[in-house]
Amino acid sequence: MSALPPPPLHFLLSPFVAFLFFATLLFNFIISRRGSTKYMNRRLPPGSMGWPYIGETLSLYTQNPNTFFSKRQTRYGKIFKSHILGCPCVMISSPEIAKTVLVTQSHLFKPTYPSSKQMMIGPQAIFFHQGQYHSLLKKLIQSSLLPSAIKSSIHEIENIVLNLLPFWEKNNTIITLDEMKKYSYEVAMISVFGNKLEANEMEGLKHLYHCIEKGYNSMPLDLPGTPFKKAMKARMVLNDKLRKMIRKRRENGEHGGGLLGVLLGLKGEIQLSDSQIADNIIGVIFAAHDTTASVLTWMLKYLHDHPHLLDAVKIEQEEIRSTRLETNRGITWDDTRRMPVTCRVLQETLRISSILSFTFREAVEDVEIDGYLIPRGWKVLPLFRTIHYSSDFFPNPDQFNPSRFEVAPRANTYMPFGNGAHSCPGSELAKAEILVLLHHLTTSFRWEVIGGGDGIQYDPFPVPKQGLPIRLHRLNDVDASN
Ligand code: HEM
C-alpha cells in the first residue's frame, strides 16, 4: 500500500481551514490562560524539592529531625514543600492547618503507607482505610479499649508487672527498652485475646511477631535470607495460626474476651471475614507494642534525670500504696485516676519524646489550603513534633517541665495520640499500663542509669541510646544497706 500524497498547498491556505486553524489557536490560548491563572492563584507552598529523585531524603535521615523541620519552618513558614522517599510532599507545622488535614477535611486526605508495610501488617488492617470500613473497625477496636474494658484487666496488667519486676531485679543490668517491650507485648496480648491464651501459645506468637517487626523496620528486599523475606514468612505462619484460632473459637461458639471476642461477636448483616480479623489483630498488637515501650523508656530516663520530680511522683504513689495495703488489695483503675503528678510527668514525656514525629496522608484530589495548592497524590505530613516544640504553645520547649500541664494546652497543639478520624484508640490503655508499672517501680525500687550520654537512637522510634541500660535495686535492700 502506498502512502497518501501530501495535500496541495492551496488546500492548506483555503479560508475555511485558516479559520479553523486560528480558532483552534485561540481556544488553546484561552484554555492555557485559564489553566495558568488557576495555578497562579493556587501556588504551591514554598520550599525546596532537593536533588532529582532523592529529594531531601538524605538530609532528613542524616540529621536530627528537629533540626531538619525547624530549619525549614524558619525559612519557609508553617507550610512548606519537600521531596522525601521518592514522593513530593507538603509539611505542616501549624496546628490549625494540621487540624484541617486530620479532622475537618480528613476525607480529602487518605492514610498512605508503602505497599511493603501494608503487606507485612495485612492490607485489611484499620490503618490503611477510610470511610465506612474504617469507621466500623474504629468503633469495634475502640469498644474493646473503653475504660470499662480496661478496668477489668488492670488486675492482670498488675500481675504482669509483679512477675517481671523480680526478674529485672535479679539481673545485674537490664536494657530498659527490651524489658518494656516484653511488658507492652504481654499487655497487648491480653487486650487482643483476653486472658484465655496459654503461655506456650503466647511464646509462639511472640517469636513470630519479633521476626515481623525486624522485617518491618528493614529495607523491603525480597531476597533469600533478608529480614524482610524472613518477616514475610513469619507473617504467613502467624496468619495461619490466627486463622486456626479464629476458626476454633467460631466453632466452639466461645468468642472469648478482648478485641478478638468483639470482632467475632458481630451479629447481623455486618460480619468480618477471618482474614479481615487476622489483619486487624496483627495491626493492633503492632500499634500497641513499640510505642508504649518507647514512651516508658523515656519516662524512666526523665524521672532518673530529674530527682525532684521522681520524689514528687514517689510521694503520690506512696499514698496510693498505703491505702492499698490498708485495704489489702492491688492497684485499681480508680487509683490510676488519682495520680495528677505522675500523669503530668507522663504528659510531658509524651510531648518531649514525640515518638511519632509526624504522620503521612495523601491528597485524594487537588486541595487548596491556606492559599496554597496541594496537588492530588502529594503526601501531606502534619509535624506533631515540631508543633510540640513550638515556643508559641510550649514556652522553653526543650525544658522537661511537667508543671506546664497544670493548664490544659491550647486546642490542637498537643497530639501525642494524633487527631481526628485516625487518632489512637489505645491511648487510655497505654496510659493505664504505664501508670501501673510506675506505681510498683517507684514505690519498691530505685534505678540507676548505666553509662552516661544523652544520645538518641531510632528503634524505630526515637529512644535513649542503647535502649537505656539500668540497674534496679529494691528499696528495702537499699534501706537495709544504709
Ligand atoms: C504511648 C503509646 C502510644 C502512642 C504514642 C500512640 C500514638 C498513635 C498515633 C499518633 C496514632 C495516629 C496515627 C495517624 O494519625 O496516622 C495512633 C494510631 C493508632 N494506635 Fe496508637 N499509640 C500508642 C499506643 C497504642 C495502643 C496501646 C494501641 C492498642 C491497644 C494503639 C492502637 C492504635 C491503632 C489501632 C491506631 C490506628 C487508628 C486508626 O487508623 O484509626 N496505640 N497511635
Side-chain angles (χ1 to χ4, degrees):
M1 216 157 72
S2 64
L4 285 170
L9 193 61
H10 70 267
F11 174 77
L12 281 180
L13 292 178
S14 78
F16 176 68
V17 173
F19 168 76
L20 270 185
F21 178 70
F22 285 112
T24 310
L25 270 186
L26 185 68
F27 180 72
N28 283 344
F29 176 73
I30 292 167
I31 290 290
S32 71
R33 284 285 303 170
R34 280 180 51 192
S36 69
T37 44
K38 183 173 120 181
Y39 255 80
M40 263 162 46
N41 293 338
R42 302 168 74 209
R43 69 212 146 101
L44 292 169
S48 158
M49 302 299 269
W51 296 89
Y53 191 70
I54 55 168
E56 297 195 299
T57 312
L58 285 181
S59 309
L60 175 62
Y61 286 92
T62 52
Q63 56 182 286
N64 183 327
N66 280 5
T67 317
F68 177 91
F69 296 125
S70 64
K71 256 191 194 165
R72 281 154 186 78
Q73 190 194 5
T74 313
R75 195 176 306 158
Y76 306 119
K78 57 195 176 182
I79 172 164
F80 52 91
K81 65 174 182 287
S82 181
H83 196 277
I84 56 166
L85 300 169
C87 308
C89 56
V90 171
M91 299 187 175
I92 288 164
S93 66
S94 136
E96 288 75 26
I97 305 178
K99 183 183 169 197
T100 306
V101 171
L102 297 172
V103 187
T104 41
Q105 306 244 44
S106 61
H107 58 290
L108 300 177
F109 299 95
K110 63 175 184 188
T112 169
Y113 289 79
S115 61
S116 60
K117 311 265 183 217
Q118 290 200 31
M119 267 154 56
M120 192 78 73
I121 290 184
Q124 306 190 72
I126 182 168
F127 320 95
F128 314 123
H129 294 272
Q130 256 188 319
Q132 256 184 344
Y133 178 63
H134 173 263
S135 307
L136 169 71
L137 287 173
K138 192 63 174 268
K139 223 168 64 195
L140 295 169
I141 294 173
Q142 250 161 357
S143 75
S144 76
L145 293 166
L146 284 175
S148 53
I150 303 171
K151 249 182 203 176
S152 57
S153 37
I154 292 286
H155 176 60
E156 280 133 29
I157 296 176
E158 184 177 35
N159 277 343
I160 301 174
V161 174
L162 295 175
N163 284 334
L164 284 170
L165 281 172
F167 171 78
W168 294 347
E169 183 190 3
K170 242 185 0 208
N171 279 273
N172 192 21
T173 305
I174 59 163
I175 303 298
T176 311
L177 180 65
D178 293 350
E179 299 308 314
M180 295 306 149
K181 280 189 185 185
K182 284 182 195 159
Y183 173 52
S184 61
Y185 175 79
E186 289 193 26
V187 176
M189 296 301 270
I190 287 182
S191 81
V192 162
F193 295 110
N195 53 7
K196 290 265 159 62
L197 215 56
E198 303 285 328
N200 60 341
E201 273 181 315
M202 180 100 103
E203 275 308 305
L205 297 179
K206 191 194 257 178
H207 170 72
L208 294 169
Y209 238 96
H210 186 63
C211 211
I212 295 175
E213 257 172 15
K214 265 190 163 165
Y216 186 87
N217 299 316
S218 72
M219 290 283 286
L221 293 175
D222 198 7
L223 297 171
T226 58
F228 180 80
K229 185 86 177 175
K230 285 183 191 162
M232 287 310 290
K233 259 194 194 156
R235 174 69 176 75
M236 267 165 57
V237 179
L238 181 59
N239 196 44
D240 285 350
K241 276 186 184 257
L242 286 177
R243 292 178 75 148
K244 264 188 207 139
M245 199 186 284
I246 292 168
R247 225 171 301 137
K248 201 166 129 194
R249 287 199 187 187
R250 278 200 206 278
E251 279 164 14
N252 294 348
E254 276 181 27
H255 297 150
L259 174 63
L260 181 55
V262 171
L263 299 183
L264 286 172
L266 274 178
K267 292 195 178 81
E269 281 173 20
I270 304 165
Q271 302 274 327
L272 294 177
S273 69
D274 289 1
S275 67
Q276 284 173 326
I277 294 179
D279 287 4
N280 281 289
I281 293 290
I282 293 174
V284 168
I285 300 176
F286 223 85
H289 182 210
D290 281 356
T291 46
T292 314
S294 308
V295 172
L296 260 167
T297 306
W298 279 117
M299 201 151 167
L300 260 62
K301 164 138 180 68
Y302 288 122
L303 282 173
H304 174 270
D305 291 352
H306 298 86
H308 67 290
L309 292 173
L310 179 57
D311 284 346
V313 166
K314 270 184 174 173
I315 292 171
E316 182 171 82
Q317 296 299 334
E318 264 309 328
E319 229 177 273
I320 292 172
R321 180 170 184 255
S322 42
T323 325
R324 272 200 318 104
L325 295 183
E326 270 166 28
T327 45
N328 196 21
R329 62 168 177 80
I331 194 162
T332 60
W333 167 261
D334 289 343
D335 289 330
T336 65
R337 306 279 101 180
R338 294 188 289 119
M339 301 180 178
V341 176
T342 319
C343 280
R344 284 198 289 273
V345 173
L346 172 54
Q347 280 178 297
E348 179 69 338
T349 304
L350 287 163
R351 180 193 72 82
I352 210 157
S353 66
S354 287
I355 57 156
L356 263 90
S357 300
F358 51 81
T359 186
F360 279 98
R361 297 288 187 270
E362 185 182 307
V364 295
E365 58 184 68
D366 284 3
V367 186
E368 194 173 316
I369 281 194
D370 210 40
Y372 293 114
L373 168 71
I374 302 183
R376 176 169 165 241
W378 279 40
K379 309 287 179 204
V380 181
L381 283 68
L383 304 177
F384 299 139
R385 173 180 279 267
T386 311
I387 296 172
H388 291 164
Y389 274 78
S390 162
S391 53
D392 294 342
F393 317 126
F394 300 98
N396 299 318
D398 293 318
Q399 224 172 63
F400 187 80
N401 175 16
S403 69
R404 68 173 86 242
F405 285 99
E406 280 164 13
V407 179
R410 219 183 84 181
N412 306 303
T413 59
Y414 181 63
M415 295 173 282
F417 294 105
N419 201 2
H422 284 275
S423 65
C424 181
S427 58
E428 288 303 324
L429 174 66
K431 287 188 223 164
E433 69 181 284
I434 289 171
L435 295 173
V436 171
L437 179 82
L438 277 173
H439 172 72
H440 286 285
L441 201 61
T442 54
T443 51
S444 305
F445 293 87
R446 72 175 178 88
W447 61 98
E448 55 178 319
V449 173
I450 310 296
D454 282 328
I456 294 181
Q457 72 186 43
Y458 293 85
D459 199 317
F461 299 115
V463 282
K465 202 116 208 155
Q466 296 170 351
L468 194 70
I470 60 168
R471 198 169 290 145
L472 275 196
H473 305 275
R474 195 173 279 273
L475 280 176
N476 291 345
D477 297 348
V478 175
D479 294 346
S481 67
N482 282 340

